[in-house]
Amino acid sequence: MLGKNKNSSYGDDGREKVSTLIGKETTFDGDLTSAETMRIDGVINGNCTCEKKLILSADGQVKGNISAQSVIISGRVDGDIIVQGKLELLSTGKIAGNITAGSLVIDEGAAFDGRCTMSSAASAGSYADSEFQAE
């Protein structure tokens, strides 16, 4: 395709507006909710709900559940993740918990300990969700 960089590490062009940023030296205790894109470089001790994209950097940690439209994980998550769209687990990412996602990409070197349920909102009801048990 013309004008597309095939070497991009994400599905977008990197111009996503981040409205909520939790800095590297920041620890947030409690549930965090955002209507826009959220980036976490620090530590969240609680649940995260994001109506758009949630980005967890390599230094970021979430000790709680995540719910978002799409998620990119480079850090550590200790909790369950529910994603309507795509979840990307990059090579430095670690998830200890269950995943429910429309689509899932796991890079080589990433760690995932839990159960994954793949579902598509567009085809819900037309067939049973497929499940995969990670070992």
Side-chain angles (χ1 to χ4, degrees), residues 64-127:
N65 299 328
I66 294 174
S67 176
Q69 177 61 40
S70 64
V71 176
I72 299 172
I73 303 289
S74 296
R76 180 170 181 86
V77 177
D78 293 310
D80 296 342
I81 302 174
I82 297 175
V83 182
Q84 289 77 33
K86 179 165 55 169
L87 185 145
E88 294 181 69
L89 181 57
L90 303 182
S91 62
T92 58
K94 294 174 178 39
I95 297 175
N98 298 322
I99 295 172
T100 300
S103 64
L104 177 64
V105 176
I106 300 178
D107 285 352
E108 185 175 347
F112 169 52
D113 182 14
R115 184 179 183 100
C116 179
T117 302
M118 302 293 293
S119 63
S120 172
S123 61
S126 63
Y127 62 90

Side-chain angles (χ1 to χ4, degrees), residues 22-83:
I22 303 298
K24 187 174 180 180
E25 300 298 321
T26 302
T27 299
F28 182 88
D29 293 319
D31 294 342
L32 186 61
T33 302
S34 177
E36 297 295 325
T37 298
M38 178 187 316
R39 180 181 170 106
I40 301 168
D41 295 338
V43 177
I44 304 292
N45 294 312
N47 299 323
C48 294
T49 303
C50 183
E51 292 181 22
K52 293 192 178 175
K53 182 183 285 186
L54 186 141
I55 303 165
L56 183 66
S57 75
D59 296 319
Q61 287 186 31
V62 174
K63 297 174 184 174
N65 299 328
I66 294 174
S67 176
Q69 177 61 40
S70 64
V71 176
I72 299 172
I73 303 289
S74 296
R76 180 170 181 86
V77 177
D78 293 310
D80 296 342
I81 302 174
I82 297 175
V83 182

